Amino acid sequence: METSIIRKNTSLSEEIIEVLNQQIAVEAHSSAAYLGMSAWCHLKGYIHAGEFFRHQSEEETVHKMKLFDYILDMGAHALAPEVHQVNNNFDDLRAVLDTYLDMEIGITNRFNKIAKQCFELGDFQTFSFVQWFLDEQKEEEDTARRTIEIYELIGIELDGLFQIDKAIGKLIPQA
Ligand code: OFO
């Protein structure tokens, strides 16, 4: 008889494994997208915004690994993601910030759907696991909205963009 590696049993349904693996890919995409924003900001002289998006990119990698580890810990197969269609060019800083907020709102919506699916399937373990992401999204959306408020409040007259860049840099959490 052919030997095979020991396969752990998992209580996760195929449906939930699939949706969590899809979310790994979404987090990987966010991480790459924020890296693209970081590079664009640096290139245009917005060094503080560049650092801010670099930090955001690293956070998304943490999220990706959290999902990856959960799937593995539950005895299922976590899939290494492919990342497609990352934007490296933007019209201006405002376009970067608008994209950032749209992406975060999109991710919140995805986690709400995952939570709903878990609830309907009676997977309360994963339902509890995704609560961390829902809390995190509240903060993430708030920060993304704040960058746009800063942009609007300071305005781009005179040295506005210089001040906006500095103010966005101050949103990086201090360790
Ligand atoms: Fe992981 O998507 Fe926001 O933080």
Side-chain angles (χ1 to χ4, degrees):
M1 191 176 112
E2 196 180 315
T3 53
S4 62
I5 56 168
I6 296 165
R7 193 181 75 81
K8 286 197 232 167
N9 288 324
T10 178
S11 56
L12 293 179
S13 63
E14 286 300 320
E15 209 175 330
I16 291 297
I17 295 168
E18 190 183 342
V19 85
L20 293 180
N21 270 317
Q22 283 166 359
Q23 194 58 34
I24 287 178
V26 170
E27 302 290 339
H29 179 269
S30 297
S31 179
Y34 293 156
L35 207 54
M37 291 178 186
S38 172
W40 184 89
C41 288
H42 273 287
L43 200 63
K44 298 293 175 182
Y46 303 121
I47 57 169
H48 301 288
E51 284 310 297
F52 172 81
F53 281 109
R54 186 192 180 99
H55 173 84
Q56 293 308 116
S57 171
E58 285 163 3
E59 285 230 316
E60 299 305 342
T61 298
V62 171
H63 300 170
K64 175 186 76 183
M65 293 315 296
K66 217 174 165 66
L67 287 151
F68 190 86
D69 287 340
Y70 176 76
I71 298 173
L72 287 182
D73 287 348
M74 292 297 290
H77 196 168
L79 303 178
E82 286 183 52
V83 178
H84 302 286
Q85 294 179 323
V86 176
N87 196 2
N88 283 290
N89 289 300
F90 299 88
D91 288 342
D92 49 30
L93 183 60
R94 180 56 192 259
V96 171
L97 304 181
D98 285 337
T99 306
Y100 169 40
L101 179 58
D102 286 348
M103 282 175 59
E104 290 300 335
I105 289 174
I107 291 175
T108 303
N109 291 338
R110 289 187 65 92
F111 274 112
N112 275 326
K113 275 196 196 139
I114 295 173
K116 184 168 182 273
Q117 206 173 349
C118 291
F119 195 83
E120 284 168 0
L121 288 168
D123 181 350
F124 296 106
Q125 203 155 25
T126 308
F127 180 77
S128 161
F129 169 69
V130 300
Q131 299 312 302
W132 183 90
F133 287 92
L134 287 169
D135 289 344
E136 175 76 5
Q137 282 311 117
K138 185 164 144 276
E139 274 177 40
E140 291 290 322
E141 265 191 52
D142 187 42
T143 304
R145 261 189 293 276
R146 186 66 192 144
T147 63
I148 292 173
E149 280 168 6
I150 285 169
Y151 192 98
E152 291 291 326
L153 288 169
I154 297 176
I156 59 171
E157 298 300 312
L158 302 172
D159 68 345
L161 285 168
F162 182 75
Q163 300 301 341
I164 290 166
D165 178 44
K166 276 208 300 192
I168 289 174
K170 290 194 178 132
L171 295 174
I172 301 172
Q174 301 304 312

